[in-house]
Amino acid sequence: MRFLLSSALSTALAVGLAGCTPSPPAQTSNGTAGQPADPAAEADPASGSGQGTVTIAGDDAAEDIQQWTPPRVDRQGRTLAQLRRAAEQAFAQGHLYEDGDAAVPLWLAVQEEEPDDRQARQGLQRAKQKLLQQADALLQRPLQQREALAEAGRQALVLLTLAPKDEKVRALQGRVETAQRVVAYNRAGEDDLRADRIGEAGDGAIGNFREALALDPNNRRARQGLAAAESGLIRRAEDAARIRDFASAGAWLAEASKVRDSSPTIADAFERIEQIRAAALVQLRDGGLHDLTTPQGLKPAREKLAEALRIALPGDAVVAQLRERIELATHYGSFRPGQVFSDALRDGGRGPQMIVVPHGGFQMGASDTEPGATDAERPSHYVRFERGYAMAITEITVGDFERYVKATNARPRATRRGHSVVYDERSGNFIRRSGVDWRSDYDGGRALGNSPVMHVSVRDAENYATWLSEQTGRSYRLPSEAEFEYAMRAGSSGRYPWGDAGLPPEGSGNYTGSKDVSPSGRHWHNAFVGYGDGWWGPAPVASFQANGFGLHDMGGNLSEWVADCWHASYRRAPADGVAWFNPGCRSRVIRGGNWANAPEQTRAAWRQSQDSDTTSARIGFRLVRGI
């Protein structure tokens, strides 16, 4: 019988059966069990070693024991009568099978010469009964389980050789194997606990103890092991809370709650962690209020507020008090350039991770001499932001968008229409394909949760922003063209988002490169020569380096919807960077290159008109938030 066990369990079983072989099996080069390392174990049983052997085979040698080979009996100068008397004497002394002078090998030797020998047959029957009794007693021994199981295992192997079809023998073999596996799983679980491998993902200590309980539901040792594992996870939760990492504390406590059903220790631990959180928030609030009474106290007060927001649950009154006092004192938000945050949602989750873009000014658009530029990108004009704004660090993901769809029962444009534009590997073209919507990847397959959401129209993006605003009580929206280009350039003024170099820096983004290869071996005809990013199609968000403002994929991966209506040039464009929007317009703007754009379309000033109902494998979006 073959069992698929963990390596720790295999080792434990091998130890449990060590009495049957001179040494554990050596591992051969092809991964199957080899011969024992001990020269005595390698010897032929007929060579005179006088020891019994255990034959093993298969990929799981320690678990795939086939039979017991009786030790060699020295028959030289001994008659059958002498062998019978020796067997009876050995049986009377309880010397049943261990070596060539034991009762079972002697009776088997008699049977070799006289197959119908009645005394030998009866003797072997008595030995079988005796071994069954001894093995049963060993299995019920509460202490020294390893030694008892090892001995019971050896006896079961002897019995299998004597009576392989006997139901009692087969039942004993099953009990021995089960008991050995339970002990091995428990030992492996205890080893994992000592090494802090608790196994919250289902492996490690928890997995081993659960395997033991699956075999023996009332096993006390395994139940105690699960209780210890639960305590270990609770300890991690409380340790995290003490350093104000309440997200990890909650995660560890959630894992601990899965270990045992209805454990009262979880509720107690939750109360302790919430007491730690409450004390930390009061300390931060009191410290922030004191900071505001000092001449230079605004910065430390803001820092305390940020820390309180990070660890507080949504709607916490203590945090709200501190935030209100700071806003009243400064008439300005409690943020700083480069600060990363995410707003709490009313449903208990968190919004997209945002980063505060510093205020400042830049020259928007393309110069008259820029290669590849069009009139739609001119005239170049100066735009200044008097106040910073927060922008999503990455494109909105499939997972982000799924939360909105489920919460509102929304039916985005491609879902209602039943199709979208995808890349077709067979033809190498973009085609319209049925059954594709926001859940789909660039080729129509299922998208990963951390992939940027595509196949969404500009109205789908705006509806998501409206929902997020309602959830957080903050103002989320699509960025204006000016906000997008300013954030994409991140202080640079070159032709491309990274500057004037004609080749993207290694690892800077998902662009069309000559080294990129499609699943069927296609290459781009118009690409950055010598560049490759390892992706044919959009990559998961934040797969590449962030730009100088801490934003990912602004110039590549997916082009992105912005709030502006399409205008054929920048004549009379707003100078303060707000969206240039005309109510009722159908042609909207996308900005930023994508995974399937020509190099000219990856320029920082590139812009393109799209119908507002367009959905495609090349267009996604991100949001900004006022601060």
Side-chain angles (χ1 to χ4, degrees):
M1 183 179 297
R2 187 182 302 274
F3 299 95
L4 298 177
L5 303 175
S6 68
S7 59
L9 180 55
S10 300
T11 302
L13 273 177
V15 171
L17 297 171
C20 299
T21 57
S23 64
Q27 194 74 12
T28 62
S29 60
N30 63 3
T32 60
Q35 296 299 318
D38 194 318
E42 295 176 348
D44 190 309
S47 66
S49 66
Q51 299 294 318
T53 62
V54 176
T55 301
I56 56 178
D59 296 334
D60 307 307
E63 295 85 53
D64 198 9
I65 299 171
Q66 302 296 323
Q67 63 181 359
W68 170 75
T69 301
R72 180 180 177 277
V73 173
D74 184 6
R75 304 183 191 178
Q76 188 172 3
R78 301 169 77 179
T79 66
L80 289 179
Q82 290 173 323
L83 292 175
R84 293 190 193 98
R85 286 195 298 273
E88 288 292 340
Q89 291 175 356
F91 181 83
Q93 297 168 358
H95 190 192
L96 299 181
Y97 66 93
E98 293 81 359
D99 53 37
D101 293 326
V104 172
L106 289 168
W107 276 322
L108 290 174
V110 172
Q111 280 192 333
E112 278 191 5
E113 293 192 24
E114 194 66 44
D116 296 327
D117 189 272
R118 183 172 58 84
Q119 291 186 27
R121 184 172 63 253
Q122 292 176 346
L124 290 172
Q125 182 64 25
R126 285 185 288 138
K128 184 186 79 170
Q129 294 300 324
K130 187 70 172 178
L131 287 171
L132 281 169
Q133 294 172 1
Q134 290 181 356
D136 184 75
L138 287 169
L139 289 178
Q140 297 181 43
R141 181 189 296 179
L143 302 176
Q144 296 180 318
Q145 287 184 326
R146 286 184 60 196
E147 295 81 0
L149 286 177
E151 179 65 18
R154 288 190 287 270
Q155 292 175 351
L157 292 173
V158 175
L159 286 165
L160 281 172
T161 301
L162 297 180
K165 297 182 179 180
D166 188 293
E167 290 184 1
K168 291 183 178 179
V169 171
R170 301 302 295 182
L172 173 66
Q173 179 201 25
R175 290 175 59 201
V176 169
E177 290 174 346
T178 298
Q180 288 172 332
R181 294 175 70 196
V182 169
V183 168
Y185 277 126
N186 282 332
R187 291 187 64 243
E190 289 158 3
D191 288 342
D192 284 334
L193 283 179
R194 283 189 286 271
D196 202 35
R197 294 188 297 267
I198 297 177
E200 59 278 2
D203 52 2
I206 294 174
N208 279 309
F209 292 133
R210 283 179 174 160
E211 291 287 356
L213 287 172
L215 295 170
D216 182 4
N218 297 315
N219 189 271
R220 183 177 179 182
R221 183 175 174 184
R223 292 186 179 278
Q224 290 174 338
L226 283 182
E230 179 189 82
S231 296
L233 292 172
I234 289 173
R235 183 184 66 252
R236 290 182 183 179
E238 293 178 347
D239 289 345
R242 290 187 185 97
I243 60 172
R244 295 181 179 175
D245 185 359
F246 289 96
S248 295
W252 287 126
L253 198 58
E255 292 299 332
S257 69
K258 301 174 186 177
V259 177
R260 298 189 299 168
D261 294 334
S262 304
S263 175
T265 58
I266 300 299
D268 294 340
F270 178 82
E271 289 299 324
R272 291 195 298 272
I273 288 172
E274 287 308 302
Q275 290 172 5
I276 295 172
R277 188 202 305 268
L281 290 173
V282 169
Q283 183 182 24
L284 288 167
R285 180 202 61 189
D286 293 348
L289 294 177
H290 178 267
D291 290 336
L292 291 176
T293 65
T294 65
Q296 303 297 324
L298 182 58
K299 181 178 179 180
R302 287 178 180 169
E303 291 171 348
K304 289 180 174 64
L305 174 61
E307 174 69 1
L309 289 169
R310 184 184 69 82
I311 68 176
L313 297 175
D316 188 273
V318 172
V319 177
Q321 182 183 5
L322 177 58
R323 177 160 50 194
E324 182 180 5
R325 289 290 299 274
I326 291 175
E327 290 175 349
L328 289 173
T330 64
H331 300 284
Y332 192 74
S334 58
F335 296 90
R336 61 187 181 280
Q339 182 176 342
V340 176
F341 68 95
S342 65
D343 286 324
L345 307 182
R346 286 189 306 180
D347 64 8
R350 309 293 299 192
Q353 197 171 44
M354 312 290 288
I355 190 167
V356 177
V357 176
H359 77 284
F362 79 115
Q363 198 69 22
M364 184 176 180
S367 69
D368 293 338
T369 59
E370 180 173 313
T374 67
D375 288 342
E377 301 164 11
R378 302 186 182 105
S380 175
H381 57 291
Y382 186 76
V383 175
R384 179 165 183 83
F385 300 97
E386 296 298 336
R387 187 181 179 97
Y389 56 93
M391 177 173 269
I393 291 176
T394 68
E395 294 146 327
I396 299 302
T397 66
V398 172
D400 293 329
F401 201 76
E402 181 180 28
R403 181 173 228 158
Y404 147 71
V405 171
K406 288 183 176 180
T408 63
N409 294 317
R411 287 177 54 79
R413 178 61 176 164
T415 304
R416 298 195 309 272
R417 187 166 51 194
H419 62 77
S420 186
V421 176
V422 300
Y423 174 77
D424 179 53
E425 182 65 26
R426 294 175 60 186
S427 65
N429 296 319
F430 283 86
I431 64 172
R432 190 168 70 184
R433 180 170 293 167
S434 298
V436 175
D437 66 5
W438 61 272
R439 293 165 289 197
S440 306
D441 207 341
Y442 77 103
D443 58 358
R446 185 75 173 185
L448 299 174
N450 64 342
S451 294
V453 67
M454 58 199 88
H455 307 296
V456 288
S457 71
V458 69
R459 291 190 176 92
D460 296 332
E462 289 170 335
N463 290 338
Y464 173 82
T466 299
W467 171 80
L468 192 61
S469 299
E470 294 170 351
Q471 281 284 308
T472 61
R474 300 293 177 180
S475 177
Y476 283 86
R477 56 179 173 79
L478 287 174
S480 69
E481 264 200 274
E483 287 171 332
F484 192 96
E485 185 174 331
Y486 175 70
M488 176 172 55
R489 289 183 180 276
S492 72
S493 58
R495 184 184 180 199
Y496 297 102
W498 56 86
D500 285 318
L503 191 67
E506 183 177 354
S508 60
N510 185 3
Y511 314 114
T512 51
S514 63
K515 294 182 178 180
D516 293 336
V517 184
S518 79
S520 64
R522 295 181 183 275
H523 291 266
W524 298 113
H525 293 296
N526 186 10
F528 291 104
V529 177
Y531 183 77
D533 51 54
W535 290 91
W536 187 277
V541 299
S543 295
F544 300 92
Q545 298 169 4
N547 70 7
F549 284 174
L551 299 161
H552 293 271
D553 303 319
M554 292 293 293
N557 218 31
L558 291 181
S559 298
E560 298 180 29
W561 291 111
V562 294
D564 302 58
C565 294
W566 174 256
H567 295 83
S569 75
Y570 284 136
R571 292 182 178 87
R572 297 184 300 278
D576 59 358
V578 300
W580 194 2
F581 186 83
N582 308 106
C585 71
R586 294 230 10 124
S587 294
R588 303 292 286 271
V589 182
I590 60 171
R591 295 299 306 261
N594 62 66
W595 62 275
N597 264 11
E600 291 78 12
Q601 296 171 316
T602 310
R603 293 177 300 105
W606 179 78
R607 60 197 294 262
Q608 189 174 80
S609 171
Q610 289 288 328
D611 185 89
S612 59
D613 283 340
T614 297
T615 63
S616 166
R618 294 193 285 182
I619 303 175
F621 72 98
R622 75 181 71 211
L623 299 180
V624 298
R625 170 204 187 283
I627 59 172

